[in-house]
Amino acid sequence: MRPFPAPEALVRDHTIYACVMGSRAFGLATDGSDTDRRGVFLAPTPLFWRFEKPPTHVEGPAEEQFSWELERFCTLALRANPNILECLHSPLVEYADDTGRELLALRGAFLSRQAHETFARYALGQHKKLEADVRTQGAPRWKHAMHLLRLLMSCRDLLRSGTLTIDVGDEREPLLAVKRGEVPWQEVESRMNHLATQAEEASHHSPLPEEPDRRRIEDFLIRARRASALQPDPYDEVVQGVVPGRAFRQL
């Protein structure tokens, strides 16, 4: 049996979708902005037949790169994880094979009113951290304050329209002013509270369904796993040749 493949090899050889996220995807990039890359890989099905399972996520191999195994990615997206949902809606797609394109075609199936709860819960946690910074250091981390405003805008607009748009468009300059610390914290916090109220109001009459379409997503995952199992793969020897020259007896 071959050694278990390195995590970097799974990303290199089995990525189905890759995109750029962070400030570049949000329309907030400046000269010093990093390029954050995110991706989804489909671990070959035979690897799941071992006691040791493939990783659910991999950091690297490049700097600022992070990837999820498809099942983990779908699980988080069904829970309306903000970071995962935004990956599916990045305007900067770098790669997508047939399976990746099908995943993108299904991105609407992940959206539901549950996004309000998860986005709001994440925003609340970030808001508390900013308040702690103000108490201990006299000012928040302005970059984090900017991104929290952006997230709250995204949540409000998603609930209002049923569409997740992550490029900030005309809000770029006002948000960058927050990042530069040009807007008083009291005003920034007031904006955050106002956006949270607007999102709450939008959640009551949102065009989004109450829950995501779990059945469609699960069907997609099962088909992807089956297709992978039928593909020639260097890891197939896990099961090939276990009993050389003999067939398995059907019970």
Side-chain angles (χ1 to χ4, degrees):
M1 182 183 298
R2 291 190 182 185
F4 204 87
E8 295 79 5
L10 292 173
V11 173
R12 183 189 65 237
D13 299 334
H14 300 286
T15 289
I16 63 169
Y17 172 65
C19 67
V20 172
M21 285 300 300
S23 295
R24 298 193 183 279
F26 301 144
L28 292 168
T30 58
D31 291 342
S33 295
D34 294 328
T35 300
D36 300 321
R37 288 185 164 85
R38 300 292 179 264
V40 182
F41 64 92
L42 175 62
T45 300
L47 293 181
F48 290 92
W49 298 333
R50 300 187 182 194
F51 288 122
E52 181 184 4
K53 304 301 180 187
T56 58
H57 59 270
V58 175
E59 289 193 52
E63 292 186 11
E64 308 297 337
Q65 182 180 13
F66 192 97
S67 301
W68 296 268
E69 206 283 323
L70 177 60
E71 183 173 346
R72 178 61 173 167
F73 186 87
C74 289
T75 299
L76 292 172
L78 285 167
R79 296 175 186 168
N81 179 291
N83 292 325
I84 301 295
L85 291 181
E86 289 182 338
C87 279
L88 283 173
H89 293 79
S90 172
L92 303 177
V93 175
E94 293 193 315
Y95 174 78
D97 65 6
D98 289 343
T99 306
R101 286 189 288 272
E102 186 171 359
L103 174 64
L104 287 176
L106 286 170
R107 58 189 178 184
F110 290 102
L111 298 178
S112 72
R113 295 190 186 190
Q114 291 180 8
H116 177 244
E117 179 183 354
T118 55
F119 277 57
R121 185 168 59 243
Y122 178 81
L124 179 61
Q126 294 301 307
H127 194 170
K128 288 181 177 179
K129 291 179 181 179
L130 293 171
E131 289 178 322
D133 289 338
V134 173
R135 288 194 303 270
T136 59
Q137 302 175 27
R141 288 167 289 180
W142 292 112
K143 179 180 178 179
H144 292 195
M146 176 192 71
H147 281 298
L148 180 50
L149 280 171
R150 182 206 62 78
L151 181 73
L152 288 166
M153 292 174 185
S154 179
C155 177
R156 177 200 60 189
D157 295 344
L158 168 61
L159 293 165
R160 285 178 172 177
S161 67
T163 301
L164 182 58
T165 302
I166 66 173
D167 189 299
V168 300
D170 293 341
E171 295 293 335
R172 171 182 165 85
E173 289 308 319
L175 286 170
L176 288 177
V178 172
K179 181 182 179 181
R180 293 191 295 265
E182 297 172 357
V183 184
W185 167 243
Q186 291 82 0
E187 183 178 338
V188 172
E189 190 170 36
S190 177
R191 289 185 196 176
M192 291 175 179
N193 292 333
H194 183 58
L195 287 166
T197 299
Q198 289 180 322
E200 172 67 29
E201 293 171 351
S203 70
H204 298 304
H205 48 81
S206 174
L208 291 172
E210 289 292 335
E211 297 181 354
D213 195 339
R214 186 182 183 90
R215 180 172 295 181
R216 282 181 65 197
I217 303 304
E218 189 168 53
D219 175 70
F220 160 68
L221 177 62
I222 291 171
R223 286 187 288 104
R225 289 274 190 250
R226 285 175 174 166
S228 172
L230 296 174
Q231 291 296 316
D233 191 277
Y235 313 125
D236 282 348
E237 67 178 47
V238 173
V239 292
Q240 291 176 358
V242 172
V243 187
R246 296 175 59 185
F248 288 105
R249 181 171 61 89
Q250 186 172 359
L251 299 178

